[in-house]
């Protein structure tokens, strides 16, 4: 299969549309909002299904535990708020009320990563993948684009148990075709290559795709593997790809500590010791800036990823 | 707490111990999960588990964990232990009943010390904005917490703890948050049943209900009553026998000493 980039919908928009669509046929679907529905696009759901849109106000700890209680009655709550206030502020509520009880709650906030509409450091959450994958019983999904996000959201309604889906505020490139499906676990090979393997996740994957094309022009043959499921991680998929090339890079628009970089390093050091270079945000708090400027400064545009990989290879 | 838990399980809750997952059952969440042993005893007498199983409390692989765990013991509607969370989960259950057009109630048992958790007041704020007359919170107002603040009184410098909530404070707070607030003597069975019955009769405004239950920690046990140090302690056989004797159970007192001799 060959892939091309095109303009995609913002994943928050996909959230609003997909939960609305799910609720048409599934009476169990409800949305809990922490007073930001107009930002997360939960308001799309609110217009069509007002009785199943539960405004919880600016009180996220209560909201996550209420979701656990709702789930015990057979309903499927989806959480609408900013990622920072859905996975960090109520982390203990997720641990005790949701993860330990295996509650059928879908944690689907927008605004993961750096693109938070110039809100600044307090709203920029980079370690969501690390925090969520540290919780036993939690499924962690990081879709690459609007097509995969819609598929993952639809899948989540059929899965019984807690799920975190990483969603991004702003429009990013689409890489997957119309009707692309989601299955829990397997990595998704995007481009073949023989010199190195690049593992990428979330909406960084379309940018990583641009990077491997640039690298091809510079004579570096890079295999690109998208990792949509961070937990449970696809051990065999990661080991097999790394075995074919040796030398591995991970790229993510998030914290490399505990994120995809951490997960891949754990897998490979245990099963197939391989040199891994982790690209992403490394032990920093990121502040406001335009999306283009943030990607440039932190080395995550297609161009900058290609440059970073090339110079790392030159250094040996 | 044992008195109103007994009233709830034997006279008030619409439950089926032989079918603990019955979808239309009333829900009950012990938000103050550290009182689990009291819950397990009532549940055992109500038929959820064999009385003998109470001896497994807190031991390896037991269903009777230090704090209640729904994944292990059928009949527990929500795992608790991290204070402030159970009340919110119970609110979710009450909301679920409304959304599913069912008539069950959701009870939450909250400690007065637990009311120091911000989440309790997040829940109080949010619940009052829904017509949740099927949501009934009972605050076990025993006026003690594990350690708390100490204040000096008396010429000899003897120090006593401040209560977690002052007299009347809980009623004022829950009322201010928009709840229908009732008070009961948590050790007077007639009063408990009367107030619970009143709570189950919704007012026209459909507001959630908070019952402030006035209780005495260690009620009826001579050396324990009102002493915060008994928040978490293990009894010797002699102290257990003394407690049974104080509670008017000389047979159990004798049996306890006899067992400890063996």
């Amino acid at each position: 299969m060959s892939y091309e980039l095109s303009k995609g919908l913002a994943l928050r928009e996909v959230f609003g549309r997909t939960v609305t669509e799910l609720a048409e046929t599934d009476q169990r679907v409800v949305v809990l909002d922490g007073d930001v529905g107009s930002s997360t696009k939960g308001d799309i759901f609110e217009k069509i299904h007002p009785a199943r849109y539960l405004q919880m106000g600016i009180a996220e700890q209560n909201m996550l535990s209420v979701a656990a209680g709702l789930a015990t009655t057979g309903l499927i709550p989806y959480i609408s708020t900013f990622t920072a206030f859905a996975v960090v502020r109520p982390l203990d509520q997720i641990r005790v009320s949701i993860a330990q009880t295996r509650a059928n709650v879908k944690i689907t906030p927008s605004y993961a990563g750096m693109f938070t509409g110039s809100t600044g450091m307090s709203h920029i959450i980079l370690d969501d993948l690390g925090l969520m994958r540290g919780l036993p019983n939690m499924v962690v999904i990081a879709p690459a684009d609007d097509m995969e996000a819609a598929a993952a959201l639809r899948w989540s309604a059929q899965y019984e148990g807690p799920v975190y889906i990483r969603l991004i505020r702003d429009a990013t490139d689409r890489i997957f075709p119309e009707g692309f499906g989601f299955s829990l676990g397997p990595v998704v090979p995007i481009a073949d290559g023989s010199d190195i393997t690049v593992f990428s996740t979330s909406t960084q994957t379309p940018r990583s795709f641009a990077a491997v094309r640039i690298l091809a022009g510079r004579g570096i043959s890079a295999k690109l593997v998208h990792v949509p499921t961070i937990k449970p991680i696809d051990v065999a998929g990661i080991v097999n790809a790394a075995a074919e090339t040796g030398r591995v890079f991970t790229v993510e628009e998030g914290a490399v500590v505990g994120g995809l970089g951490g997960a891949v390093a754990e897998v490979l050091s245990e099963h197939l010791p391989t040199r891994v270079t982790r690209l992403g945000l490394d032990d920093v708090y990121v502040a406001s800036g335009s999306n283009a400027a943030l990607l440039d400064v932190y080395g995550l545009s297609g161009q900058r990823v290609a440059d970073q990989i090339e110079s790392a290879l030159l250094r040996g | 707490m044992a008195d109103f838990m007994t009233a709830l399980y034997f006279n008030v809750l619409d439950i089926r111990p032989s079918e603990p997952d019955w979808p239309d059952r009333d829900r009950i969440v012990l938000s103050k999960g550290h009182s689990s042993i009291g819950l397990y005893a009532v549940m055992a007498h109500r038929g959820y588990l064999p009385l003998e199983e109470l001896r497994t409390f807190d031991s390896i692989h037991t269903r009777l964990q230090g704090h209640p765990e729904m994944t292990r013991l059928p009949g527990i509607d929500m795992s608790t232990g991290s204070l402030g969370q159970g009340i919110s989960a119970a609110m979710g259950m009450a909301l679920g009943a409304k959304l599913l057009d069912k008539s069950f109630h959701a009870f939450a048992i909250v400690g007065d010390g637990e009311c120091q958790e911000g989440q309790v007041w997040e829940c109080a704020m949010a619940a009052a904005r829904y017509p949740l007359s099927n949501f009934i919170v009972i605050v076990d107002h025993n006026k003690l917490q594990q350690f708390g603040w100490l204040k000096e009184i008396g010429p000899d410098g003897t120090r006593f703890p401040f209560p977690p909530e002052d007299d009347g404070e809980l009623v004022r707070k829950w009322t201010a948050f928009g709840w229908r607030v009732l008070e009961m003597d948590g050790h007077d069975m007639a009063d408990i049943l009367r107030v619970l019955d009143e709570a189950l009769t919704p007012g026209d405004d459909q507001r959630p209900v908070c019952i402030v239950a006035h209780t005495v920690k260690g009620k009826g046990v001579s050396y324990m009553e009102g002493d915060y140090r008994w928040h978490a302690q293990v009894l010797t056989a002699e102290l257990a026998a003394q407690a049974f004797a104080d509670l008017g159970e000389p047979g159990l007192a004798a049996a306890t000493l006899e067992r400890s001799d063996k």
Side-chain angles (χ1 to χ4, degrees):
Chain A
M1 186 160 197
S2 69
Y3 294 95
E4 286 300 329
L5 297 182
S6 62
K7 191 169 165 38
L9 280 177
L11 302 198
R12 60 171 167 162
E13 187 81 25
V14 175
F15 164 71
R17 291 186 189 190
T18 308
V19 287
T20 304
E21 165 206 308
L22 283 169
E24 312 269 323
T25 53
D26 193 336
Q27 295 299 313
R28 300 171 301 164
V29 171
V30 298
V31 169
L32 273 66
D33 180 37
D35 194 40
V36 289
S38 51
S39 295
T40 63
K41 303 302 174 193
D43 58 356
I44 298 172
F45 185 98
E46 194 269 342
K47 285 190 189 71
I48 311 288
H49 309 290
R52 284 193 272 161
Y53 189 78
L54 304 170
Q55 183 54 255
M56 289 290 115
I58 308 163
E60 295 83 6
Q61 301 176 51
N62 179 60
M63 175 163 66
L64 273 293
S65 295
V66 166
L70 279 165
T72 66
T73 69
L75 296 166
I76 309 178
Y78 282 77
I79 299 293
S80 149
T81 181
F82 296 151
T83 305
F85 312 131
V87 304
V88 188
R89 189 171 184 127
L91 183 57
D92 191 51
Q93 283 71 17
I94 296 175
R95 180 180 71 93
V96 175
S97 296
I98 295 175
Q100 291 184 353
T101 67
R102 300 188 187 93
N104 195 22
V105 173
K106 315 305 168 183
I107 303 169
T108 49
S110 310
Y111 291 58
M114 301 192 293
F115 300 170
T116 59
S118 300
T119 48
M121 219 178 252
S122 62
H123 284 52
I124 292 175
I125 177 72
L126 303 172
D127 43 3
D128 54 321
L129 294 180
L131 290 169
M132 291 296 102
R133 84 180 176 90
L135 295 168
N137 299 335
M138 187 65 70
V139 162
V140 182
I141 301 169
D145 67 2
D146 51 350
M147 291 298 152
E148 193 176 36
L153 283 160
R154 288 188 203 106
W155 173 87
S156 71
Q158 304 305 317
Y159 172 82
E160 177 80 25
V163 177
Y164 169 64
I165 303 182
R166 184 177 216 252
L167 299 172
I168 308 298
R169 174 184 187 269
D170 292 335
T172 48
D173 283 341
R174 174 184 298 168
I175 189 163
F176 293 125
E178 199 82 42
F180 184 78
F182 171 82
S183 59
L184 184 71
V187 297
V188 181
I190 303 256
D192 206 10
S194 53
D195 295 334
I196 60 170
T197 296
V198 176
F199 292 106
S200 176
T201 193
S202 185
T203 51
Q204 181 59 38
T205 291
R207 291 188 294 270
S208 299
F209 180 69
V212 299
R213 287 194 158 177
I214 294 167
L215 289 169
R218 298 178 188 173
I220 297 167
S221 173
K223 179 198 297 290
L224 176 62
V225 178
H226 171 55
V227 186
T229 305
I230 302 298
K231 184 175 188 172
I233 194 94
D234 180 4
V235 172
I238 290 170
V239 169
N240 292 342
E244 285 172 25
T245 62
R247 197 70 165 92
V248 161
F249 289 81
T250 63
V251 197
E252 61 198 303
E253 190 233 315
V256 299
V257 177
L260 174 72
V264 168
E266 288 166 16
V267 167
L268 290 179
S269 55
E270 195 162 323
H271 297 276
L272 183 76
T274 306
R275 175 122 186 252
V276 177
T277 303
R278 299 166 304 151
L279 304 181
L281 289 316
D282 190 2
D283 204 30
V284 288
Y285 290 114
V286 168
S288 291
S290 73
N291 293 350
L294 288 167
L295 289 174
D296 185 54
V297 166
Y298 291 103
L300 291 167
S301 63
Q303 183 70 48
R304 295 274 282 119
V305 169
D307 292 347
Q308 288 202 76
I309 290 176
E310 186 179 24
S311 55
L313 290 173
L314 282 172
R315 283 197 304 271
Chain B
M1 191 192 91
D3 297 297
F4 63 75
M5 291 300 276
T6 303
L8 283 166
Y9 271 88
F10 284 85
N11 288 68
V12 176
L13 297 175
D14 189 12
I15 47 177
R16 298 176 178 171
S18 58
E19 191 187 351
D21 290 336
W22 176 43
D24 293 339
R25 71 191 182 280
D26 282 338
R27 268 58 169 187
I28 180 164
V29 177
L30 184 66
S31 197
K32 46 171 296 192
H34 50 277
S35 300
S36 62
I37 188 71
L39 171 68
Y40 299 146
V42 173
M43 287 176 72
H45 282 285
R46 189 69 173 84
Y48 282 93
L49 58 138
L51 280 168
E52 270 305 301
E53 191 175 346
L54 292 174
R55 294 186 190 285
T56 70
F57 175 69
D58 226 5
S59 60
I60 188 80
H61 302 318
T62 183
R63 300 194 296 172
L64 311 184
Q65 295 285 299
H67 292 83
E69 207 187 297
M70 66 187 291
T71 62
R72 290 176 191 250
L73 184 63
I76 299 291
D77 288 321
M78 179 53 59
S79 302
T80 53
S82 184
L83 293 176
Q85 298 191 28
I87 183 176
S88 301
M91 176 187 160
M93 294 169 194
L95 262 177
K98 297 289 179 188
L99 287 164
L100 296 164
D101 206 19
K102 291 182 178 257
S103 57
F104 62 78
H105 301 86
F107 289 82
I109 316 302
V110 178
D112 52 3
E114 184 178 7
C115 289
Q116 290 165 0
E117 288 283 4
Q119 183 172 358
V120 169
W121 302 105
E122 290 189 358
C123 182
M125 173 281 298
R129 289 162 187 255
Y130 287 87
L132 290 181
S133 56
N134 62 335
F135 183 26
I136 299 163
V137 169
I138 302 176
V139 183
D140 182 9
H141 194 14
N142 60 27
K143 290 94 180 167
L144 290 173
Q145 60 189 118
Q146 178 165 335
F147 198 65
W149 292 263
L150 294 172
K151 61 179 176 184
E152 282 193 38
I153 53 167
D156 61 347
T158 307
R159 299 205 298 169
F160 292 90
F162 276 107
E165 299 278 343
D166 264 332
D167 192 34
E169 200 175 347
L170 281 170
V171 171
R172 290 196 298 277
K173 284 180 181 173
W174 286 91
T175 303
F177 273 76
W179 288 54
R180 184 155 75 98
V181 181
L182 306 172
E183 289 183 83
M184 73 184 183
D185 178 340
H187 299 300
D188 178 340
M189 193 53 78
D191 198 49
I192 291 169
L193 291 172
R194 182 186 63 75
V195 173
L196 286 173
D197 187 56
E198 191 180 340
L200 288 170
T201 311
D204 293 338
D205 50 14
Q206 299 291 311
R207 282 184 297 166
V209 183
C210 173
I211 302 172
V212 176
H214 295 281
T215 58
V216 175
K217 204 162 188 153
K219 173 75 174 176
V221 177
S222 52
Y223 57 87
M224 216 182 263
E225 238 183 49
D227 187 341
Y228 74 100
R229 288 171 298 185
W230 282 100
H231 179 86
Q233 283 201 53
V234 178
L235 293 172
T236 61
E238 288 70 25
L239 284 170
Q242 174 71 50
F244 283 128
D246 290 346
L247 292 166
E249 297 282 357
L252 287 173
T256 302
L257 290 175
E258 192 181 327
R259 185 177 296 120
S260 74
D261 286 343
K262 284 179 184 168

